[in-house]
Amino acid sequence: MSIHAPEYVRRIAPYQAGKPISELAREYGLDEASIVKLASNENPLGMPESARAAMLAAMRELGRYPDANGFELKAAIARRYRVPQEWITLGNGSNDILELAAHALLQPGQSAVYSEHSFAVYSLATQEVGARAIEVPARELGHDFDAMAAAIAPDTRLVFVANPNNPTGTFAPAPTIERFLDRVPADVVVVLDEAYNEYLPPELRFDSSQWLRGRPNLLISRTFSKAYGLAGLRVGFGLAQAELTDLLNRVRQPFNVNSAAQAAAAAALVDQEFLERSYEVNRQGLARLQSAFDAMGLQYVPSFANFVLVRVGDGAAVYESLLRQGVIVRPVAGYGLPQWLRVSVGLPEENEAFLAALAKALGRERGASGR
Ligand SMILES: Cc1ncc(COP(=O)(O)O)c(C=O)c1O
């Protein structure tokens, strides 16, 4: 006899994470130090020194539970985004914020709207609570906001928007998002997921937190996992007016963000020098990857984030060939993109190692006779 579990849970396909370096080393007998991982959109600079120091100091207190309210980190976020502390929810990564929204707002018989080729957790969070997914076909691999607004059904309670989007790297400018927000019914919550916001070029940046004032149904989610370099600590946050924040708080685990993560994040948030360096390393790396793809005649989606989606033909075969060469990227067949691979921007030498391995995988290395 099998365990009783809801059908909607049995139907969930587990999240496919980027392959860890240690796993590839074990499976292929490779030296860990020689492996290049460009699979999870992490910051290739690692964590900032300022955050490391703050974390080490916080470790003296690890015998105690964390501050369940995250006072210091919330105070730093409140200053940075000019919002009241009552508008902030801390999350175990921004993944937690996305799930809190689903748990607080969705139930069986209701629906969530999101775009085709958008972040996998939108579908997971929707399925976890037994709600119906309305996946709206993408336009040129980006969100089709007219179609998304039209897809909102009477039972829709939640809309997920990723800007920039993962895995496509597409971006919608402020006026497009604002127009979309104006079209969403006031009782339907929009989660505006800005995990890659810090990688936007200065001329495209806008302060979405200013939109919260007139919009009780907007939830902005941000993360410390990408430009802030703290992916392993698991910390992110949501910004929303007090009523929505209160709802999220009701379904939040009391100690969802550990003390080391809270301390590191508060330090990273104000480390402008690290943030600028991260932006610059990414800008140069992205330009290098995209110009190499141009030179190789490979189609790619011009990216606004810290990764790029490139069309390689047989995505699974090229992924395998890269693995054998010690390079981990992300296959995206699960996103309905079997001909593409997503590669995160690395340090210059990592980008070069990837490009050399890719040329080999495609039979395009210098001196190769084929194709
Ligand atoms: C669009 C998007 N949102 C949210 C996340 C979640 O990241 P984290 O939970 O590390 O904040 C990711 C991670 O890849 C992402 O790509």
Side-chain angles (χ1 to χ4, degrees):
M1 218 165 82
S2 60
I3 293 164
H4 291 293
E7 242 338 278
Y8 58 79
V9 172
R10 291 202 183 278
R11 275 199 301 269
I12 295 175
Y15 181 78
Q16 299 284 334
K19 191 186 261 303
I21 288 176
S22 54
E23 188 178 303
L24 179 63
R26 265 196 316 277
E27 286 177 359
Y28 289 71
L30 298 171
D31 174 10
E32 283 195 18
S34 71
I35 293 173
V36 171
K37 183 182 177 221
L38 301 174
S40 301
N41 304 340
E42 295 146 336
N43 190 326
L45 295 173
M47 78 187 293
E49 272 311 316
S50 55
R52 191 190 310 276
M55 190 182 87
L56 288 174
M59 282 171 71
R60 283 196 284 272
E61 292 297 322
L62 285 186
R64 299 196 183 280
Y65 281 101
D67 175 357
N69 244 323
F71 180 85
E72 295 293 339
L73 177 53
K74 281 190 187 174
I77 294 169
R79 275 193 296 276
R80 167 78 178 70
Y81 290 97
R82 287 169 287 140
V83 294
Q85 290 208 31
E86 299 69 44
W87 290 21
I88 302 169
T89 307
L90 300 184
N92 193 261
S94 60
N95 193 124
D96 197 18
I97 301 297
L98 306 175
E99 295 205 348
L100 292 178
H103 284 269
L105 302 168
L106 281 176
Q107 57 183 324
Q110 299 177 339
S111 64
V113 168
Y114 51 81
S115 174
E116 178 191 19
H117 311 314
S118 65
F119 186 43
V121 169
Y122 308 155
S123 123
L124 285 172
T126 304
Q127 290 180 73
E128 262 169 40
V129 295
R132 182 167 62 94
I134 302 179
E135 189 181 288
V136 178
R139 195 161 74 194
E140 292 168 9
L141 294 176
H143 290 44
D144 181 341
F145 287 100
D146 287 338
M148 285 179 73
I152 294 171
D155 66 5
T156 300
R157 297 291 178 271
L158 201 53
V159 179
F160 290 102
V161 171
N163 199 38
N165 182 43
N166 172 22
T168 59
T170 50
F171 168 74
T176 306
I177 300 287
E178 213 170 355
R179 262 197 311 275
F180 175 70
L181 294 177
D182 288 341
R183 293 177 65 180
V184 175
D187 56 353
V188 174
V189 168
V190 178
V191 179
L192 180 58
D193 176 351
E194 299 187 317
Y196 300 96
N197 174 276
E198 293 79 9
Y199 290 111
L200 289 172
E203 67 277 11
L204 291 179
R205 290 183 199 160
F206 54 87
D207 182 3
S208 56
S209 63
Q210 293 313 302
W211 292 339
L212 291 167
R213 307 264 162 212
R215 293 189 170 84
N217 64 332
L218 176 61
L219 168 62
I220 295 168
S221 85
R222 293 291 194 99
T223 186
F224 287 96
S225 299
K226 310 297 176 185
Y228 291 106
L230 302 179
L233 281 174
R234 313 303 304 126
V235 52
F237 61 96
L239 302 178
Q241 284 194 20
E243 184 193 352
L244 180 48
T245 300
D246 175 59
L247 289 169
L248 302 180
N249 198 45
R250 286 164 197 257
V251 294
R252 181 180 68 85
Q253 260 194 68
F255 304 108
N256 62 334
V257 183
N258 70 70
S259 337
Q262 289 186 29
L269 189 66
V270 294
D271 191 340
Q272 202 54 34
E273 188 274 332
F274 181 82
L275 206 57
E276 279 165 21
R277 200 148 42 92
S278 301
Y279 172 78
E280 197 47 35
V281 165
N282 188 65
R283 188 186 66 76
Q284 291 179 19
L286 196 55
R288 167 67 182 135
L289 291 177
Q290 294 187 157
S291 73
F293 296 152
D294 280 332
M296 294 166 89
L298 294 175
Q299 187 189 351
Y300 60 90
V301 183
S303 174
F304 293 86
N306 67 341
F307 54 85
V308 54
L309 193 65
V310 57
R311 190 174 199 154
V312 295
D314 184 345
V318 175
Y319 172 66
E320 268 304 316
S321 167
L322 292 173
L323 282 184
R324 279 195 301 276
Q325 299 179 69
V327 178
I328 314 173
V329 298
R330 183 68 76 90
V332 282
Y335 282 96
L337 299 163
Q339 300 198 333
W340 301 74
L341 291 175
R342 190 196 71 192
V343 57
S344 308
V345 176
L347 296 172
E349 58 274 24
E350 294 174 321
N351 299 332
E352 295 312 316
F354 158 72
L355 288 169
L358 180 65
K360 219 169 182 176
L362 296 172
R364 308 255 184 97
E365 75 271 42
R366 229 177 285 160
S369 54
R371 302 244 284 207

